[in-house]
Amino acid sequence: MLKLPRFKAAAVQASPVYLNASATAEKAASLVREAAANGAKLVAFPEVFVPGYPYWNWITDPVTGSAWFEKLAKASVLVPGPEVEIVCKAARDTGCHVVLGVNERSPVSLGAIYNTLVFIGPDGALLGKHRKLVPTWAEKLTWTGGDGSSLRVYDTEIGRLGGLACGENTNTLARFALLGQGELVHVGSYISLPVAPPDYDMAEAIKLRAIAHSFEGKIFTIVSCSTVSVEIIAAMETVVPDARARLQRKSSAFSGIIGPDGRVVGDPLIDDEGIVYADIDLERCIQPKQMHDIVGHYNRFDIFDLRVNRRPQTPLGLTEAEAVAGQEQAGFSSIPGRSE
């Protein structure tokens, strides 16, 4: 008989220790322990929580911002790496699943940074990572786009878990690709963006995206959004003098949990730091799917055909091992330019 998990989820709304990866990882580990002490089995963190968001892209020109790009590149982390391991240990110690947003440094390019979600199991092991497919608007000055190899759903003891970063939660095909893999628990990670156009309500926009995904897929969405700290504002005031006015606008952050009927479960957080908790019962996903199951009976796969290229995109393909093996089979030395 089918028995679906029930558990408590936690959505963290907080700011990083700005551009300090190890200190932010320690803060994340502390928040995992706090959430676990309150019964959480899944803890979701904001977009690029480690070590913070490149706000300078939105408030200054690319040339001025280049010096800050260098700061971020130096502060970004490898996955796996020592900073991520700090959070993995907290997951292992508490038995929590964790989804953590990081700035991931490329192992081969000093100019490539990825906006990455790291999925960590309750044993502290890395389940995988998702690199944001397309940086949004001004973010293109900082991040490199990911590829389809990370568009995955993980089969865990709390259900099939997936996630997307910020604006890509509006990417219908990316969302469908996760739903089509059986996603039942979705993490939407976001940043607070007070520098949006004057008539744009960021908190409402975040909530709307989460509601859309939950209602369309009949699943739970855990939304975790960062906040803009006094520390971040002070740093950006060294970039432009009016940074404070731009970064203090209210209704810029929303964290909460959305049920499969598209309604908010429990009390969300707007702007303030804290942790949102809600009880998740995946059996609530069953009845709504009888009406609209867009990855099942409520679709026409004879008409629509979505294909995902999961081939990792790399700078080059190395065939040296195959070439050497071929030379040796033919009786040649493996030393270039020399034969026996």
Side-chain angles (χ1 to χ4, degrees):
M1 180 177 177
L2 177 65
K3 188 170 180 60
L4 295 172
R6 297 181 180 183
F7 63 96
K8 180 175 287 188
V12 172
Q13 183 156 289
S15 59
V17 182
Y18 202 47
L19 300 186
N20 186 327
S22 58
T24 304
E26 292 287 359
K27 180 174 182 176
S30 176
L31 289 165
V32 168
R33 293 188 173 94
E34 178 183 343
N38 287 302
K41 290 299 181 183
L42 169 64
V43 186
F45 283 90
E47 180 182 27
V48 291
F49 187 65
V50 181
Y53 184 80
Y55 283 104
W56 55 86
N57 285 343
W58 299 90
I59 62 176
T60 192
D61 62 90
V63 175
T64 303
S66 182
W68 286 86
F69 173 85
E70 182 175 338
K71 293 176 191 286
L72 181 62
K74 291 177 179 178
S76 295
V77 303
L78 294 172
V79 182
E83 296 84 3
V84 173
E85 176 54 32
I86 291 171
V87 185
C88 287
K89 183 179 185 305
R92 183 166 54 250
D93 291 345
T94 60
C96 275
H97 299 75
V98 177
V99 181
L100 176 71
V102 305
N103 286 278
E104 180 192 3
R105 176 162 48 91
S106 166
V108 297
S109 171
L110 294 177
I113 308 172
Y114 297 97
N115 179 331
T116 299
L117 290 181
V118 181
F119 294 81
I120 304 169
D123 58 355
L126 291 177
L127 300 174
K129 62 185 179 183
H130 169 68
R131 291 171 170 172
K132 189 173 184 177
L133 298 176
V134 181
T136 304
W137 203 352
E139 294 172 356
K140 292 180 175 67
L141 291 168
T142 293
W143 292 318
T144 299
D147 58 42
S149 66
S150 70
L151 204 57
R152 297 178 183 273
V153 168
Y154 302 97
D155 195 4
T156 75
E157 63 188 47
I158 59 168
R160 296 190 64 83
L161 174 66
L164 295 171
C166 201
E168 66 180 351
N169 284 281
T170 66
N171 186 324
T172 303
L173 298 184
R175 294 191 298 105
F176 187 87
L178 297 183
L179 294 173
Q181 295 173 64
E183 183 186 48
L184 288 175
V185 182
H186 180 81
V187 171
S189 69
Y190 288 84
I191 50 88
S192 175
L193 191 61
V195 294
D199 60 346
Y200 190 77
D201 189 321
M202 184 68 177
E204 276 298 308
I206 292 171
K207 182 172 73 171
L208 178 62
R209 295 174 203 182
I211 287 172
H213 189 58
S214 277
F215 186 79
E216 289 177 6
K218 314 306 181 193
I219 69 170
F220 284 88
T221 296
I222 292 85
V223 180
S224 175
C225 187
S226 62
T227 59
V228 181
S229 65
V230 173
E231 178 192 21
I232 292 172
I233 291 174
M236 292 302 96
E237 282 182 313
T238 68
V239 180
V240 292
D242 64 341
R244 183 171 299 274
R246 298 198 205 185
L247 293 173
Q248 281 188 329
R249 198 175 83 177
K250 298 300 183 183
S251 197
S252 295
F254 170 94
S255 292
I257 295 166
I258 314 296
D261 57 1
R263 292 187 291 183
V264 177
V265 180
D267 297 320
L269 269 178
I270 306 293
D271 294 334
D272 297 329
E273 284 212 10
I275 303 178
V276 176
Y277 297 95
D279 292 321
I280 306 294
D281 179 0
L282 293 185
E283 290 189 2
R284 286 185 54 200
C285 300
I286 296 175
Q287 288 190 10
K289 280 182 175 287
Q290 185 181 18
M291 182 181 295
H292 300 131
D293 185 0
I294 62 173
V295 295
H297 62 80
Y298 203 69
N299 216 321
R300 287 291 302 276
F301 301 117
D302 56 329
I303 300 173
F304 304 113
D305 182 9
L306 174 62
R307 297 173 186 269
V308 177
N309 177 10
R310 272 199 173 162
R311 184 182 301 117
Q313 304 300 301
T314 56
L316 72 167
L318 296 175
T319 58
E320 181 180 347
E322 291 87 342
V324 169
Q327 285 181 336
E328 291 176 346
Q329 284 182 351
F332 295 103
S333 167
S334 61
I335 300 175
R338 177 179 172 184
S339 61
E340 297 294 334

